[in-house]
Amino acid sequence: MVAARITVNGEETPLSPAPAHTTVLDLLRERGLTGTKEGCAEGECGACSVLVARPGVDRPTDWVAVNACLIPAAALDGQEIVTSEGLATPGEPGRPPRLHPVQEEMAVRGGSQCGYCTPGFVCSMAAEYYRPGRCAHADASASDDPEHGPNGFDLHALSGNLCRCTGYRPIRDAAFAVGEPTDEDPLARRREEEPPAPVATEYVREGREFLRKESLAETVRVLRERPDTVVVAGSTDWGVEVNIRSRRAERVIAIDRLPELRELRVESDHVEIGAALTLTEVERRLDGAVPLLAELFPLFASRLIRNSATLGGNLGTGSPIGDAPPALLALEASVVLTDADGEREVPLSDYFTGYRRSVRRPDELIRAVRVPLPLSPVVAFHKIAKRRFDDISSVAVAFALDIEDGIVRKARIGLGGVAATPIRALAAEAALEGGTWSVENVEAAARVLQGEGTPMSDHRAGAEYRSAMLGQSLLKLYARTTEAVSS
């Protein structure tokens, strides 16, 4: 077994002697790369953002921005990352390095004040700078969309980066001013080469180990032998446990690069989404083919989180406030569970059994999520939270309706944040089905929807507020559909 190491800014960096739970952030800072900062240690501020070379959607390699504070360093064994220090081009002997275009724009437009968050912003901005498909609008003066610049820059790329002193306007100005990568840009050229292949990892320190197996069969055998093994993909949940709650596992196994968990197929009767594909990969590969998921993705945490988080992880944690389950319940999705003996398919409506509990056994993995076809044509995902982006839901509601000739033929409604598990709003579905899609029937169904679940009061919202939002979400959907018909 080759000693674990990561290529950082073009140089190999060994992991040893770091403990097995060491994050990428801590490893970098211990190696003197202190541009990468810790702000929140739970993936909300983006001060720790770095670039990782990952398999591309439209070309061999994409530069993807991720939260270094959440990812175990051993999870990037054999991989390649770039920090804020590695973006600049080395100068000639005796001359300073030449700033990267995003660094240059941040400097000249006043995008940095105290500077603490700046390296993270720069890395997230660089990932968008290199994003395939980003290009200037035909009308460079177009300003109809304040969240997309005339250069094609999507401000959502910075939704996971927080700044407490600059005020964002100069940061946005810098983002909207960057041009296209030149042919001489080494990071742009790097996209045309294959990313590093995942390597088998067995990193052991102080009695704790981090593993990565080459195949699904090997992985589930490990789980059969040691069902207490912690499974990680994007580590957006486990990373918080390590940082905030000081959790330490005797054994962790990574599944994010298993080929069997990274397929996306559109069949005649279903769409199958690999459980280890990141949400960003799913979003870009589906390209709107499942409209309800297309509504979900922009509201799921931030781009930094979506670059690591997976559907399998969101379902595997069993959280009642996970954003994906309500949408998948409305889509009547199922999960494919696999172990050393084979597979079984479980409807998502039967998957959750209690608070953070499910029918999945400790020796099983979620291999894929299946969404049946055809899809219902009327869909919506409503997330009620204190912030528009990068926040945890107080309530999440997903709708999928079949309406023909003004009659609701089929209604599926998924809810999150109103019970110990994500649930289907069965009573509200029954109240809608067979009736007309009219204001009277929708208002009656909205009153039924308000009574679904067992919402509680906490620091995010009160129980009465949560119930009220359920009813309002259906009224909002009705208003949206009638506006679409009238227009």
Side-chain angles (χ1 to χ4, degrees), residues 159-487:
S159 62
N161 294 83
L162 302 182
C163 177
R164 294 171 175 84
C165 52
T166 302
Y168 293 107
R169 176 60 184 270
I171 297 174
R172 189 191 73 167
D173 291 346
F176 286 179
V178 295
E180 298 291 322
T182 66
D183 293 338
E184 293 75 31
D185 186 328
L187 294 180
R189 293 200 307 269
R190 175 66 184 82
R191 298 176 301 175
E192 305 306 323
E193 304 170 10
E194 294 294 332
V199 298
T201 301
E202 188 173 334
Y203 187 71
V204 183
R205 286 293 178 276
E206 301 171 358
R208 304 181 190 277
E209 56 186 327
F210 188 99
L211 306 177
R212 181 188 300 280
K213 297 297 183 181
E214 293 182 340
S215 69
L216 177 60
E218 292 178 280
T219 302
V220 292
R221 278 200 297 272
V222 170
L223 297 182
R224 173 67 58 87
E225 297 165 1
R226 288 279 301 274
D228 61 329
T229 300
V230 172
V231 177
V232 298
S235 202
T236 55
D237 188 74
W238 177 247
V240 176
E241 295 292 315
V242 170
N243 293 337
I244 304 300
R245 298 180 179 87
S246 298
R247 291 279 302 277
R248 301 291 183 263
E250 290 188 9
R251 174 178 289 187
V252 176
I253 191 166
I255 62 170
D256 55 309
R257 309 314 299 171
L258 291 176
E260 299 93 335
L261 274 61
R262 290 185 48 77
E263 298 179 351
L264 192 153
R265 300 197 308 270
V266 179
E267 307 289 355
S268 60
D269 61 345
H270 71 273
V271 177
E272 182 165 304
I273 303 169
L277 287 169
T278 69
L279 298 182
T280 293
E281 289 175 314
V282 176
E283 178 184 18
R284 290 177 178 168
R285 291 188 187 187
L286 285 178
D287 193 22
V290 181
L292 182 52
L293 293 183
E295 289 202 19
L296 159 71
F297 290 135
L299 300 177
F300 192 113
S302 66
R303 175 61 69 190
L304 276 172
I305 293 294
R306 295 196 297 274
N307 285 344
S308 293
T310 65
L311 287 180
N314 206 226
L315 297 176
T317 61
S319 172
I321 53 174
D323 284 341
L328 294 173
L329 283 168
L331 291 169
E332 298 184 282
S334 60
V335 293
V336 180
L337 301 173
T338 184
D339 65 9
D341 297 324
E343 291 187 351
R344 60 182 177 131
E345 185 174 355
V346 178
L348 190 59
S349 55
D350 297 331
Y351 174 77
F352 300 104
T353 59
Y355 179 72
R356 289 190 176 270
R357 297 198 306 273
S358 70
V359 299
R360 182 178 64 85
R361 301 188 307 271
D363 66 336
E364 286 183 306
L365 289 176
I366 301 175
R367 184 184 65 76
V369 174
R370 286 180 181 158
V371 176
L373 298 175
L375 301 170
S376 296
V378 179
V379 298
F381 181 79
H382 296 161
K383 176 173 178 171
I384 295 90
K386 291 185 177 181
R387 297 194 303 262
R388 185 181 176 198
F389 299 111
D390 196 17
D391 203 1
I392 295 172
S393 295
S394 297
V395 179
V397 188
F399 298 96
L401 309 177
D402 290 350
I403 304 173
E404 298 177 6
D405 300 323
I407 305 297
V408 181
R409 305 297 182 186
K410 178 181 175 182
R412 295 293 181 266
I413 306 172
L415 307 179
V418 295
T421 69
I423 61 172
R424 281 263 301 277
L426 298 176
E429 292 174 1
L432 285 170
E433 289 183 345
T436 59
W437 187 241
S438 64
V439 64
E440 296 82 8
N441 284 346
V442 169
E443 287 179 346
R447 289 191 290 272
V448 174
L449 185 55
Q450 283 183 285
E452 299 274 14
T454 54
M456 60 181 289
S457 296
D458 59 19
H459 65 286
R460 294 193 181 92
E464 291 184 358
Y465 175 81
R466 285 186 161 101
S467 294
M469 288 302 98
L470 293 180
Q472 286 298 314
S473 65
L474 181 56
L475 298 177
K476 179 179 179 180
L477 173 62
Y478 178 75
R480 192 180 82 175
T481 58
T482 53
E483 287 174 3
V485 171
S486 61
S487 61

